[in-house]
Amino acid sequence: MPNIKKACIGLVLFTLLFTLFPTYSANANTAVDSPKNALSGNAPNPYGGTDYYLDATNGKDTNDGKSIDTAWQTLQKANNTTFQPGDRILLKSGESWQNQQLWPKGSGTAGKPIVIDRYGDETLGKPYIATNGKVDNPLQYINGDFVKDKNKVGLTGAVVLRNQQYWEIHNLELSNDDDFNTDINVSAKTKSVVRDGISISINADLLEGNDKIMDYFRISDNYIHNIDGPTDWQKIHYGGIVFQVFGEKSYKSYDEGAYYFQDVRIENNRFYQTELHAIEFAFNWFYDRDASSGEYDETGKFHEGWEQLWVKNRDLYSRDVYIGHNYAEDIGQGAIQLANTKDMTVEYNEVNGYLQRYNAVSCGLYLWAGADTVMQYNEVYGGPYGEYDGTPWDLEFTNFNVTYQYNYSHDNAAGWMAYMGNSSNSIARYNLSVNDNGVIVKNMLSTNYSPTYFLNNVFVYDASKMDWFHDEVFKDTVYFLNNVFYNTSTTTPTKWYRKEGALNKAVFSNNAYYEAGGVQSAQQPADAHAVLADPQFVADPADYKRGNGVANIVDSAANFKVKPTSPLIDTGRYNVHAGQADFFNNHLYYGDNIDIGIQESPIGTKVESPVDTNPIENEQPALRENLALHQQISANYTHPNKGLEATNLVDGKTTTRWASPDEVTYPIEITINFGKPIAFDEVYLDEYVDSGTDPRILEYELQQYDEATDTWTTFEKQTNGLGTNVSLKDFGHITSSQLRLLIDSVKPGATGTPTLTEIQVYNNNSTENPQQPTTSITSATYDLNPSKQNDPANQVTWDVYLNGDTLSTIRYIGTEGNVLSSLTEGKDYTVNGDTYTLTRSFLTSRAVGKSGLQLEFASGAQLKIDLNIMNSTDT
């Protein structure tokens, strides 16, 4: 009875989905490579192989399976068969296979894939495989960790393929749930289960032969529901459709340029209540979260294994992937979570509810550790409130050339975009966000390899219900150009940041800031070309469409076009990162300039090939001189791993760092030698704090060096912790030839060693308090004894550090203290660069005794050097 009941529930849910969401279909205006499979079981085999039929009611496993009348009955019969290229496995419409799993063997070839599909009367419903959790669990929770069985991972789906390629899977209904409501509310540490709808895996430890790249998969028109699982992370991915690569050893034990999927299309599938995900691409080396699996990037920065930068360095990306026109509802964690994939297009997918049960970090639809990918025309809504991530989109760790464009998100309580950092060329443009309250751009945990661009997005939010525009501190340059910030609250102005200095590295230009209450926010960022007037949308923003289906996503955005009188027209700023077209596929741009917002109005002359003649990148304020840049630096402790040297602290790059070894005796001493006395009034320190890690350094101090006494003096001491992006300025003006940072202690229980990305030194008040010129000596001695005349050490020489000043005169001070006439260059002294040397003829004409030199500068400054002229006894 329970199995029959479950089959009936699945059919009802399937019917309800198509009743409630009739608009969900392939967009007629979008070119989609339609598979050859639509009810292909009722048509001749297009690939020329043998057709095998399965009928759960009337079939018999003693049949040959090669006709409708001689169909097989159980999936096990298919599992015991190795199929040949071009064969088809056809399941009868309306039939149900309970407590069974489909794992047919064999692989197709190019042009002759093996196909799983249906046959018969389509009105009876898709053939239904209800595995009901009857799969082996590949995990054991032992001694506080999940231990994986390499022979069982990847075999947890209702449909399974392992180390197989050239397959198509169409028109199935799948579930894999023994008790969804119970299993979903229990920790994996108490009851660990791993289940999938379709599990396609590469098992690097069991792969036979030389072919280590699995090609060609087509998965479409399947209905996958009730894939249950626990509510916490088990160090393995599972869900509706899962592509996963497994290996029990460190990635370093496997070949480069191998172990990935290629040429994959996942289209027109529907998902309901699947755990963790609806669609997932992932690597799962068993040690992928162990620090020993870390990798150094091209800058020498070390990344622990879980960030998976090694996927890029070793070319392990899956590639040529299309994910389009899928619908996912009520998903436990991230609905469409993609990793380790490049050359991918993800479009026209609809997510209705994600993170519905999994209480941890994730987002609605996103890529991490990926590259060269476009996410466009997707709709995501129904995300819950969450302190970490929780947004519909995410610019994640170690992404390279990832663009979010033309997407529509609404009613997501956590906000709009998570932004993790450690990425290159991240772009979010022409996206629409409505009532994504919470945090608009959330987090930034690491620095980037290049600036990030947010262009021509429209944000409609209620500031009385939101947290902040940004909740952390931007660690690298982020450009916000031509965006619309529309606050519907009549009582609460926009809350732009939680932390002071949060927007210091964010550049805002030509954005529209509309406050329905008529009062601009006191936190509003500086924007010399801001538009503050009503944008004049063509419809009331409150009338936005919810769950209208991705087929109508452009119609949903049409409310946010603007009237011909809008102040947004021609008031934006062109930037090459804006792309080629607006949300509605209008050309960019018309008129005197690009428009602000998601629409480019065809008003004015069409500019065929726009050129950015005034790049905003060239407009930033002149950089202050970092006096520590490329100076000599040393540390009494340095981590033995390559790429963590002290020189990284003065290279001007926050993407590199220094680290101490695991075992040290405090204090740690880091010393910068400027080579000459300099004046400074600010020291900038940046502690490296990675994802999930708190600042480690607790007590630290800054010291200056006294050359006269050869001693160090502390001028700044802190006992409440360091952290990221710290500027120390309260110590006044310091003049010293060396600066020392002492790390005195770390926080109790802190994990990891002390590590910093930068030490920078500035003199901010050089105009009001100009830095004085300095010399390398304050006294010198000259011996008149003839026997000393050929001694190279017997001379008077010094360096002058002008610090922007000009040396105008050198005068001699006689033995009686009176200032005599000025010296003549070439006769009395010579100059070589910054080095000044008194001539021997001048010195031998001086009287024995105490005398001196007076150096006079254009600014009025004076410096004195004491001279001692002596005549030693010849021994």
Side-chain angles (χ1 to χ4, degrees):
M1 269 313 274
N3 290 336
I4 296 173
K5 180 180 178 181
K6 185 162 291 188
C8 293
I9 291 173
L11 184 59
V12 169
L13 286 173
F14 180 71
T15 305
L16 280 174
L17 279 174
F18 280 86
T19 302
L20 293 173
F21 303 98
T23 60
Y24 185 84
S25 61
N27 189 307
N29 297 322
T30 305
V32 176
D33 179 16
S34 298
K36 302 177 181 179
N37 57 289
L39 286 180
S40 58
N42 294 332
N45 186 331
Y47 300 123
T50 301
D51 287 346
Y52 293 87
Y53 297 85
L54 284 94
D55 183 337
T57 302
N58 298 313
K60 293 181 180 180
D61 286 352
T62 56
N63 291 337
D64 64 10
K66 295 182 180 180
S67 71
I68 293 174
D69 294 332
T70 60
W72 294 330
Q73 182 179 47
T74 69
L75 301 184
Q76 188 61 43
K77 182 65 176 179
N79 296 343
N80 293 336
T81 302
T82 299
F83 294 92
Q84 300 303 310
D87 289 350
R88 294 191 301 178
I89 305 164
L90 303 174
L91 284 68
K92 187 176 181 179
S93 296
E95 291 291 306
S96 174
W97 285 263
Q98 296 288 329
N99 303 312
Q100 297 182 54
Q101 176 191 68
L102 177 60
W103 181 15
K105 308 306 187 290
S107 287
T109 58
K112 287 184 173 294
I114 302 172
V115 178
I116 303 173
D117 208 325
R118 67 177 175 181
Y119 74 96
D121 185 355
E122 63 179 288
T123 64
L124 298 176
K126 299 179 186 292
Y128 180 31
I129 300 175
T131 305
N132 299 320
K134 304 299 182 183
V135 294
D136 287 340
N137 187 1
L139 302 178
Q140 293 186 68
Y141 189 65
I142 302 175
N143 296 326
D145 199 7
F146 290 99
V147 179
K148 303 170 189 173
D149 185 335
K150 73 174 181 181
N151 295 300
K152 294 181 180 179
V153 292
L155 305 183
T156 49
V159 176
V160 167
L161 297 174
R162 182 175 74 183
N163 295 342
Q164 296 165 262
Q165 58 185 325
Y166 293 99
W167 280 83
E168 297 185 4
I169 304 172
H170 310 296
N171 294 307
L172 302 180
E173 180 183 355
L174 306 172
S175 68
N176 198 349
D177 160 31
D178 60 347
D179 192 341
F180 189 92
N181 291 327
T182 298
D183 288 349
I184 202 57
N185 292 314
V186 67
S187 169
K189 298 174 183 178
T190 302
K191 182 180 180 182
S192 172
V193 297
V194 180
R195 291 158 185 166
D196 306 290
I198 298 174
S199 175
I200 299 177
S201 65
I202 296 173
N203 191 314
D205 299 311
L206 304 178
L207 196 58
E208 298 178 354
N210 296 322
D211 193 351
K212 298 172 183 177
I213 300 169
M214 298 294 104
D215 275 285
Y216 187 88
F217 296 89
R218 299 292 186 266
I219 305 176
S220 71
D221 297 288
N222 299 288
Y223 172 44
I224 303 174
H225 59 89
N226 294 95
I227 309 296
D228 64 356
T231 55
D232 46 12
W233 175 242
Q234 305 179 85
K235 295 189 175 181
I236 195 169
H237 291 280
Y238 45 99
I241 297 175
V242 178
F243 282 77
Q244 199 160 188
V245 179
F246 294 102
E248 70 170 350
K249 299 182 286 291
S250 165
Y251 72 93
K252 297 176 183 178
S253 300
Y254 301 101
D255 294 338
E256 297 185 22
Y259 311 109
Y260 62 78
F261 301 100
Q262 181 172 269
D263 189 11
V264 180
R265 295 185 73 93
I266 303 173
E267 307 171 66
N268 297 307
N269 301 284
R270 290 149 178 83
F271 305 87
Y272 177 73
Q273 289 195 336
T274 63
E275 314 300 312
L276 296 171
H277 320 291
I279 300 173
E280 167 73 24
F281 268 77
F283 268 77
N284 204 297
W285 306 120
F286 292 4
Y287 297 100
D288 67 345
R289 293 191 174 225
D290 185 81
S292 65
S293 292
E295 183 85 358
Y296 291 92
D297 64 22
E298 56 269 27
T299 69
K301 181 178 177 181
F302 182 79
H303 302 264
E304 292 186 353
W306 74 273
E307 291 191 43
Q308 298 184 343
L309 186 68
W310 39 265
V311 174
K312 176 178 185 290
N313 294 347
R314 298 172 71 88
D315 190 24
L316 301 177
Y317 290 120
S318 290
R319 60 205 69 195
D320 303 324
V321 176
Y322 178 88
I323 300 174
H325 302 271
N326 300 284
Y327 173 83
E329 180 181 355
D330 195 13
I331 307 303
Q333 203 217 47
I336 301 178
Q337 178 176 293
L338 310 167
N340 318 120
T341 307
K342 73 171 188 174
D343 302 327
M344 179 168 57
T345 299
V346 183
E347 65 180 8
Y348 293 101
N349 300 285
E350 182 176 354
V351 174
N352 175 8
Y354 58 94
L355 276 172
Q356 298 301 290
R357 290 161 293 278
Y358 191 93
N359 186 25
V361 294
S362 192
C363 294
L365 185 158
Y366 70 108
L367 169 69
W368 67 287
D372 307 324
T373 290
V374 174
M375 313 280 197
Q376 62 184 10
Y377 294 111
N378 301 288
E379 180 178 5
V380 178
Y381 53 98
Y385 183 84
E387 176 64 21
Y388 301 102
D389 297 14
T391 53
W393 326 109
D394 188 356
L395 289 169
E396 254 284 3
F397 277 119
T398 54
N399 276 345
F400 297 86
N401 307 318
V402 174
T403 298
Y404 287 83
Q405 61 184 12
Y406 319 132
N407 297 290
Y408 174 35
S409 57
H410 56 88
D411 301 292
N412 296 291
W416 176 67
M417 176 74 76
Y419 178 36
M420 298 304 165
N422 194 36
S423 298
S424 176
N425 196 30
S426 295
I427 299 173
R429 62 192 178 203
Y430 289 97
N431 299 286
L432 173 62
S433 166
V434 184
N435 273 352
D436 291 330
N437 299 314
V439 180
I440 302 301
V441 181
K442 197 171 192 178
N443 305 323
M444 185 178 184
L445 303 182
S446 292
T447 54
N448 283 333
Y449 304 107
S450 66
T452 295
Y453 291 83
F454 294 91
L455 311 101
N456 291 88
N457 303 287
V458 169
F459 304 99
V460 179
Y461 52 88
D462 183 341
S464 68
K465 299 177 181 178
M466 74 182 296
D467 292 335
W468 303 275
F469 169 79
H470 184 49
D471 62 336
E472 291 297 329
V473 175
F474 287 123
K475 296 185 177 181
D476 263 339
T477 304
V478 182
Y479 292 100
F480 291 90
L481 309 179
N482 313 325
N483 302 285
V484 177
F485 303 102
Y486 191 107
N487 178 15
T488 61
S489 174
T490 58
T491 60
T492 307
T494 302
K495 293 166 280 189
W496 283 93
Y497 51 83
R498 175 177 66 167
K499 296 183 177 180
E500 289 297 326
L503 306 182
N504 286 353
K505 294 188 177 181
V507 180
F508 290 79
S509 183
N510 298 76
N511 299 285
Y513 309 84
Y514 179 70
E515 300 283 346
V519 177
Q520 300 302 127
S521 171
Q523 293 186 332
Q524 184 171 302
D527 188 335
H529 305 285
V531 173
L532 306 181
D534 188 336
Q536 298 184 28
F537 294 130
V538 296
D540 186 341
D543 293 336
Y544 69 98
K545 299 175 182 179
R546 301 168 172 84
N548 196 37
V550 292
N552 298 303
I553 192 170
V554 176
D555 293 338
S556 299
N559 279 12
F560 298 90
K561 291 183 176 182
V562 296
K563 299 173 183 177
T565 56
S566 168
L568 306 187
I569 297 174
D570 279 2
T571 52
R573 177 179 194 146
Y574 179 71
N575 183 279
V576 66
H577 296 89
Q580 303 296 320
D582 71 0
F583 201 112
F584 309 98
N585 202 32
N586 295 318
H587 170 80
L588 298 183
Y589 61 80
Y590 292 84
D592 296 331
N593 216 323
I594 197 172
D595 294 356
I596 295 174
I598 62 173
Q599 175 196 12
E600 176 69 18
S601 299
I603 298 175
T605 303
K606 182 177 182 181
V607 181
E608 292 290 351
S609 300
V611 176
D612 190 358
T613 59
N614 185 27
I616 192 170
E617 294 84 355
N618 295 342
E619 275 193 10
Q620 301 317 301
L623 293 176
R624 297 180 298 161
E625 181 184 6
N626 173 12
L627 302 174
L629 187 65
H630 303 311
Q631 297 290 359
Q632 181 180 343
I633 188 170
S634 61
N636 64 338
Y637 290 105
T638 296
H639 200 282
N641 283 349
K642 179 183 176 182
L644 298 173
E645 295 81 11
T647 52
N648 292 333
L649 296 175
V650 291
D651 63 0
K653 302 175 182 178
T654 55
T655 54
T656 62
R657 63 185 173 111
W658 159 89
S660 77
D662 296 333
E663 299 294 333
V664 300
T665 300
Y666 290 96
I668 298 173
E669 299 178 359
I670 302 174
T671 305
I672 301 175
N673 191 332
F674 300 108
K676 63 180 181 180
I678 66 164
F680 57 90
D681 55 16
E682 177 185 355
V683 176
Y684 171 88
L685 302 173
D686 188 50
E687 183 178 0
Y688 179 80
V689 181
D690 212 339
S691 173
T693 305
D694 292 327
R696 301 158 184 160
I697 298 172
L698 178 61
E699 297 178 310
Y700 62 98
E701 54 190 293
L702 298 176
Q703 295 184 327
Q704 64 178 345
Y705 178 64
D706 187 333
E707 293 188 25
T709 62
D710 191 27
T711 59
W712 290 90
T713 303
T714 296
F715 62 87
E716 178 80 19
K717 186 175 179 66
Q718 296 287 331
T719 60
N720 294 322
L722 182 51
T724 61
N725 201 33
V726 174
S727 288
L728 302 170
K729 302 179 181 179
D730 295 335
F731 50 78
H733 262 71
I734 299 293
T735 299
S736 179
S737 62
Q738 296 184 61
L739 170 68
R740 176 174 288 173
L741 168 66
L742 294 184
I743 300 174
D744 296 320
S745 67
V746 295
K747 294 181 179 180
T751 58
T753 61
T755 176
L756 300 163
T757 69
E758 277 290 292
I759 301 176
Q760 299 174 4
V761 178
Y762 298 99
N763 182 26
N764 295 300
N765 298 317
S766 57
T767 301
E768 295 81 359
N769 300 289
Q771 185 175 338
Q772 297 291 316
T774 59
T775 65
S776 60
I777 62 171
T778 57
S779 63
T781 297
Y782 185 77
D783 195 339
L784 293 175
N785 192 305
S787 67
K788 300 290 186 180
Q789 296 307 299
N790 294 323
D791 185 352
N794 187 31
Q795 60 179 334
V796 176
T797 184
W798 69 95
D799 291 335
V800 175
Y801 309 117
L802 296 172
N803 298 323
D805 213 333
T806 302
L807 178 61
S808 55
T809 304
I810 302 176
R811 299 183 187 276
Y812 178 67
I813 302 174
T815 56
E816 297 182 357
N818 55 319
V819 179
L820 305 180
S821 59
S822 60
L823 278 61
T824 301
E825 183 180 353
K827 175 185 175 184
D828 301 322
Y829 66 91
T830 60
V831 182
N832 183 13
D834 293 335
T835 303
Y836 290 71
T837 304
L838 292 180
T839 63
R840 183 168 285 108
S841 60
F842 173 79
L843 288 167
T844 55
S845 66
R846 301 301 101 186
V848 173
K850 301 289 186 181
S851 58
L853 299 173
Q854 179 171 293
L855 280 58
E856 300 175 354
F857 297 85
S859 66
Q862 294 183 355
L863 295 174
K864 291 184 179 180
I865 299 175
D866 295 328
L867 281 178
N868 179 27
I869 306 297
M870 61 177 291
N871 191 347
S872 64
T873 301
D874 187 8
T875 58

